[in-house]
Amino acid sequence: MAVRPITIIGHKALHQPTKKVREVTDDIRTLVADMFDTNEAANGAGLAANQVGARWRIFVYDCEDGAEVRQRGYIINPVLEKGLVRTADLDPDDGSEGCLSIPGEHFPTARADWARVTGTDLDGNEVVVEAEGGTLARCLQHETDHLDGKLYVERLTPTYRAKSREAIKQRGWEAARITKWDPSTQEAEDV
């Protein structure tokens, strides 16, 4: 398959809700395969379709669950359930989160310890992915947020949100009109 360019914060695709997949076509199958290749090339924990410029409600994941077991898969039309999000006593080491669309930055982000996503696979079979703790629980919430047009930096406390804005500004993506990067070459693109 292929490695696709990843959209960077500021690109309109990241700020719009995605569309439900009503029919699995060859293009959808290719998209899922390309998303796995792209996520692997970028060394990501997960990747949402709108991060590669597709408006479909699909994400892939490849990370450890709460038992430190590697989980890899995808889900079409995910619906998220989650536990209580604790914002008090957020540990910057345990709660640090990053994003392939904001490369190189990580900030403490409050997430629920438990999450479950229900959806389907490419053949229309029901898929349920559940995680208690670990990167997978965070990933399920993070990628579903992407599909809803929300970035993790929008969930930060006011202090960390200000720090993220400054860090993003220092990267110079907006000033240089950079909206995508290629994880296989690490090169930026201006569109």
Side-chain angles (χ1 to χ4, degrees), residues 2-50:
V3 174
R4 297 186 183 200
I6 297 174
T7 55
I8 294 177
I9 188 170
H11 192 287
K12 66 181 179 180
L14 297 174
H15 304 284
Q16 299 171 341
T18 53
K19 299 183 291 188
K20 186 173 183 176
V21 175
R22 303 219 180 270
E23 178 185 357
V24 174
T25 63
D26 287 343
D27 286 345
I28 296 291
R29 292 178 187 281
T30 299
L31 172 62
V32 170
D34 288 355
M35 288 173 64
F36 275 117
D37 289 347
T38 304
N39 190 57
E40 183 177 335
N43 197 29
L47 183 70
N50 53 346

Side-chain angles (χ1 to χ4, degrees), residues 60-83:
V60 300
Y61 58 91
D62 188 351
C63 54
E64 291 183 353
D65 61 17
E68 298 183 11
V69 175
R70 182 176 174 206
Q71 302 290 329
R72 185 176 190 269
Y74 67 93
I75 192 152
I76 298 172
N77 300 326
V79 175
L80 174 69
E81 298 172 72
K82 62 184 178 182

Side-chain angles (χ1 to χ4, degrees), residues 66-160:
E68 298 183 11
V69 175
R70 182 176 174 206
Q71 302 290 329
R72 185 176 190 269
Y74 67 93
I75 192 152
I76 298 172
N77 300 326
V79 175
L80 174 69
E81 298 172 72
K82 62 184 178 182
L84 181 65
V85 177
R86 293 178 294 117
T87 56
D89 302 326
L90 185 61
D91 183 345
D93 295 327
D94 291 338
S96 187
E97 192 165 316
C99 180
L100 296 176
S101 290
I102 310 172
E105 300 300 335
H106 295 82
F107 296 97
T109 309
R111 295 285 187 185
D113 288 334
W114 171 84
R116 176 176 39 224
V117 176
T118 307
T120 60
D121 66 13
L122 290 167
D123 298 317
N125 300 311
E126 183 181 53
V127 173
V128 178
V129 182
E130 185 171 348
E132 178 99 24
T135 304
L136 183 57
R138 180 173 294 279
C139 179
L140 297 176
Q141 296 166 77
H142 180 108
E143 300 309 329
T144 304
D145 272 355
H146 269 301
L147 299 178
D148 293 336
K150 188 170 283 222
L151 294 172
Y152 87 100
V153 292
E154 297 171 45
R155 295 199 175 276
L156 301 177
T157 64
T159 300
Y160 284 114

Side-chain angles (χ1 to χ4, degrees), residues 5-12 14 100-103 168-182 186-191:
I6 297 174
T7 55
I8 294 177
I9 188 170
H11 192 287
K12 66 181 179 180
L14 297 174
L100 296 176
S101 290
I102 310 172
I168 291 165
K169 183 179 177 182
Q170 287 178 358
R171 294 273 180 187
W173 298 318
E174 186 176 1
R177 295 180 38 87
I178 296 170
T179 58
K180 296 181 180 182
W181 68 282
D182 184 336
Q186 299 296 314
E187 292 181 11
E189 298 179 16
D190 60 339
V191 180

